[in-house]
């Protein structure tokens, strides 16, 4: 087992995940750059730094997840931080404008195939990866799990008629993040006695492929809250949902 702590970031080949990987490397972690395409992961790992390595990991593929966990155990022997960052906003062609994603996600017209695909990645994928990595995380001295969620999934914020963004609360992406919040809380409750802290972070509206670069925040800004939660000390909270400004309502 190596002395240096190890972090795994899923979907770290681009966007907010790549920045989280860079920040954790700067904080002294050996970083595993999770990527469903190994080639993209290898290119990204070079950008993260000398102590980063690509890890083929498709969060919807159980064989890929099991192989990734096995590789971490055999090559590094430890895992201290898991950032469940991989996510999709729709299941259509890349580059769809945000307005179109919003329209097609309306509950009255949403494609059931798209609902299933988005939930498979954003919710089931997080449960699957976390389950596979838990044996390693349980062995770490102070493991942290961060789920990259969104305030788009906040039921409280979207139930408020004064919220101008609520027309975007459809049947696809937003409720997948609501479910991810629930899953975050469930893991936090089960793991409370172990000292493993499990929290959900909202990066804010960040310019990435996810929203066809309509987001107004930079990836450096978007990575801040997930990274803060990955670095919590033993007095830090578990079972929370927050952004850079503070706690968010579920
Ligand atoms: N951008 C925002 O405004 C915003 C706001 C709130 C929350 N978030 C959340 O932030 C996270 C990162 O999103 P982003 O904005 O950085 O988007 P992004 O640039 O599109 O990055 C998404 C990442 O997830 C990966 N991914 C998708 N499906 C995967 C799968 N089945 N297995 C493994 N990796 C997969 C993508 O890999 P490929 O390159 O192979 O597609 C990519 O690396 C997501 O969970 C998103 O919901 C984003």
């Amino acid at each position: 087992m190596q002395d240096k702590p190890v972090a795994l970031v899923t979907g770290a080949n681009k966007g907010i995940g790549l920045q989280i990987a860079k920040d954790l490397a700067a904080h002294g972690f050996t970083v595993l750059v999770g990527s469903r395409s190994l080639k993209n992961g290898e290119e990204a790992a070079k950008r993260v730094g000398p102590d980063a390595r690509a890890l083929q990991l498709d969060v919807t593929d159980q064989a890929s997840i099991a192989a990734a966990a096995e590789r971490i155990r055999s090559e590094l022997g430890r895992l201290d931080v898991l950032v469940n960052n991989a996510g999709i906003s729709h299941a259509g062609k890349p580059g769809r404008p945000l307005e179109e994603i919003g329209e097609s996600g309306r509950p009255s017209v949403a494609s059931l195939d798209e609902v299933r695909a988005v939930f498979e990645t954003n919710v089931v994928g997080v449960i699957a990866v976390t389950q596979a990595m838990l044996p390693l995380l349980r062995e770490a001295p102070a493991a942290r799990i961060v789920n990259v969620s969104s305030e788009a999934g906040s039921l409280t914020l979207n139930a408020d008629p004064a919220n101008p963004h609520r027309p975007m609360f459809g049947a696809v992406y937003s409720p997948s993040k609501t479910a991810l919040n629930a899953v975050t809380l469930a893991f936090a409750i089960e793991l409370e006695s172990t000292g493993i802290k499990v929290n959900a972070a909202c990066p804010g509206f960040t310019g990435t492929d996810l929203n066809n670069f309509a987001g107004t925040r930079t990836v450096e800004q978007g990575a801040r809250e997930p990274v803060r939660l990955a670095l919590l000390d033993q007095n830090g909270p578990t079972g929370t949902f927050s952004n850079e400004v503070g706690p968010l309502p579920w």
Side-chain angles (χ1 to χ4, degrees):
M1 183 174 98
Q2 70 163 42
D3 292 340
K4 214 173 160 183
V6 178
L8 165 61
V9 184
T10 67
N13 54 289
K14 66 180 183 184
I16 298 165
L18 174 56
Q19 187 61 41
I20 294 170
K22 287 180 183 171
D23 291 355
L24 291 176
H27 278 92
F29 285 82
T30 294
V31 178
L32 295 164
V33 176
S35 175
R36 57 182 161 178
S37 148
L38 183 59
K39 186 170 166 286
N40 291 347
E42 282 168 348
E43 281 164 16
K46 280 188 208 142
R47 295 171 64 192
V48 173
D51 204 11
R53 32 182 117 176
L55 185 69
Q56 198 285 327
L57 179 54
D58 181 336
V59 305
T60 63
D61 178 347
Q62 198 57 42
S64 160
I65 296 169
E70 189 42 50
R71 203 185 135 198
I72 299 172
R73 182 168 293 287
S74 62
E75 289 186 16
L76 298 164
R78 70 184 287 174
L79 182 65
D80 301 81
V81 164
L82 168 62
V83 182
N84 287 306
N85 164 79
I88 55 175
S89 54
H90 63 92
K93 286 196 184 116
R96 282 168 85 193
L98 194 57
E99 298 70 33
E100 192 189 304
I101 297 171
E103 269 304 298
S104 66
R106 283 188 293 120
S108 56
V109 296
S111 139
L112 298 185
D113 284 344
E114 184 156 60
V115 174
R116 288 190 186 99
V118 170
F119 270 71
E120 190 64 32
T121 301
N122 294 4
V123 186
V124 182
V126 172
I127 301 172
V129 172
T130 306
Q131 286 180 350
M133 301 302 161
L134 259 180
L136 281 156
L137 292 166
R138 285 183 193 275
E139 293 166 20
R144 305 288 178 254
I145 299 170
V146 181
N147 294 335
V148 182
S149 185
S150 172
E151 60 194 284
S154 165
L155 293 178
T156 307
L157 292 179
N158 285 289
D160 179 359
N163 176 358
H165 305 298
R166 71 200 297 248
M168 284 297 283
F169 192 84
V172 184
Y173 179 73
S174 302
S176 80
K177 293 299 187 181
T178 312
L180 175 62
N181 286 349
V183 164
T184 304
L185 190 58
F187 272 110
I189 291 168
E190 186 186 349
L191 296 174
E192 220 154 29
S193 62
T194 67
I196 300 176
K197 297 181 192 298
V198 191
N199 293 290
C202 174
F205 190 39
T206 306
T208 66
D209 278 331
L210 190 96
N211 49 39
N212 206 21
F213 291 89
T216 48
R217 282 163 65 82
T218 65
V219 288
E220 287 81 2
Q221 292 170 319
R224 276 184 206 150
E225 186 63 3
V227 170
R228 185 185 75 81
L229 293 169
L231 300 175
L232 286 177
D233 67 22
Q234 59 175 9
N235 300 316
T238 188
T240 67
F241 175 37
S242 57
N243 66 12
E244 221 189 326
V245 180
L248 287 167
W250 295 107

